[in-house]
Amino acid sequence: MASSRDDFIIAIRSAFLKKSTQQKFSLLTLVSASIFVVLLSSLDFRAVRLLKMGINEFIYRSSFVISIPENFIKQTFIDVVEYTTFHKKYKKDKEELNELRSSNISSEIIQYENKELKELINDYVSSSDKILAKIIVDHDSPFLKSIIINKGSKDNIKIGTNVYDQAYLVGRVIEVNYKTSRVLLLSDLNSNVPVTIAPQNIQAIITGSGDNFGQVKYIKDGLSQKFSEKSIVYTSGTGAIFKSGIPIGILKAADKDAENKVYVEFYSDFSQLKYVFAEVVTKKEIQNSDNNSSVDAENKNPMDAKLKILEDEIKIIEDSNSRFKQENENLKSEINDLNNEISKIEGQILSQKNIINQFNIDKQELKFLRLNLIHGHKCRKTFLNTKGYIVGTSDYKDCVLSKE
Amino acid sequence: MTKLKSRGSILKFYSWIPLFVLFISVMNEFDFNYLNLKYFSFNFPFILIFFFTLKDFKNFDYILVFIAGLINDTVVGLPLGISSLSYLLICIATSYFRNITIRPNPIKDWFYFLFIISLINSINYSILTLFFSFSLVLMNYIVNTFFTFLFYIIFVSIFKYYLKGLND
């Protein structure tokens, strides 16, 4: 017993302390070093932070270069999948585009009014610049959902900067380096976003699920029954972490086994992101001036803009109307052509049926003649065969055919 | 003479391949995630480190394994040092296993590997959730462990082929 314990201790000591000829450090030294690094990274020292930023910059760039072949394979795989569903998607997208064009006009009007009202309420306007950022590292890890973008503190990116895919929210910046930043995606388990669910106007928090959808949490009991499928989810702006009114996704039907769980399907597909927009926000104070002319000019400009938007809207509606008319005409002529073809085909079918009937009769007759030659004498009424039938009668024919 | 020299440099490069692959895999997170198979993932560096440290491969320096861990943490976004600790624990486990083994058996190695990666993933999960307050899905870890265990035997046959080539 004691000897086996000794063996164990010797083996463990050897594993920890023995250095092979090619090893520069013992494992004990390196394990201690990694525990020390873990402890250091949990403490937020400035020197450690700067060192970490430097390491991050270097490794992110290297990872980007090394990932090029895998990204190429990944992109090829995605392209192949996309091509197979290309036509269907194209048709659907075309319809959606027409709808969006018209709704975009109304949303522009609303945005303009919104801006005006905000200006009236606050004494400052937050103007934002969206800067385009390229995703340099996106490994879609099953554990942590984050991406690395090629914009950092040099481009005024800060911790908490909102990141978009077109107009849709993607996540927020959680780590800033000089020329790179890490963005925590909405799908990550550690992501929490205060939202409003429309049209029910319910306040909630969306957390990531670790998968490509979010989960609605922290709502009052009973409110979840009010939700309808296709309810829209957008940021409420509570807590000032995210700007208000940014679309996130739509509610998704919950699984039957997961009661009381409401999921959100994100508008943006996080696995397909190549470029994103980071919003750099700057606040500007409004200068109150007594100069009426300048106020008139300010009032005039929004009116002009609104009129211009309305004119555009009319133009688009007229365009789509004329297109619909044209399509209608085309469809009518197509229907006529199809009707003609149908009547032609019906005629063809009738003549083919007649041919088939004639063929069947001929076939029957031939069969009878063949059998008559072989078995005719058995069915014919003669002096010796009194049970036979007179030639030409239907009984005679049946008798011959029954001999087959 | 020149021929011999070039042969020597090719051999040198060939003997460093496992380390290159380790560094590429930690930077690249080579795991077929883009296939979008639910929960599917496996930890290639675990397999690589386990195999080559078990074989006491001459170029597999522990300090380089430690650095590979640091790189992996940076790329994945984990607190620095977590992966290094995991990788070094594998090295300790293989070193211990090598000391107590008289007759190596691939099946024993395989199940010992399962035990070790389960233990290390448990330690990882505990540190991240308890000390760093990360929210993680335990199922992901379990499935990752399972697939890493399954893939071990496939990669080991490739690595053995590589070692055979090196010895020849």
Side-chain angles (χ1 to χ4, degrees), chain A residues 204-263:
Chain A
I205 287 185
I206 303 280
T207 60
S209 63
D211 222 319
N212 284 329
F213 54 84
Q215 196 183 334
V216 178
K217 280 191 179 169
Y218 311 116
I219 45 164
K220 259 186 165 182
D221 288 342
L223 280 179
S224 60
Q225 271 123 40
K226 281 188 181 177
F227 292 142
S228 63
E229 222 177 296
K230 309 291 177 194
S231 289
I232 295 165
V233 180
Y234 60 88
T235 53
S236 63
T238 315
I241 302 166
F242 292 97
K243 256 175 75 177
S244 59
I246 310 164
I248 290 176
I250 50 167
L251 285 191
K252 197 174 138 187
D255 295 336
K256 279 178 189 170
D257 56 327
E259 281 178 28
N260 298 325
K261 279 189 177 175
V262 186
Y263 296 110

Side-chain angles (χ1 to χ4, degrees), chain A residues 270-289:
Chain A
F270 301 143
S271 62
Q272 302 285 305
L273 296 174
K274 270 187 180 175
Y275 294 92
V276 285
F277 291 97
E279 189 176 40
V280 183
V281 181
T282 46
K283 283 182 181 177
K284 279 182 200 164
E285 296 284 331
I286 293 176
Q287 290 175 349
N288 291 322
S289 88

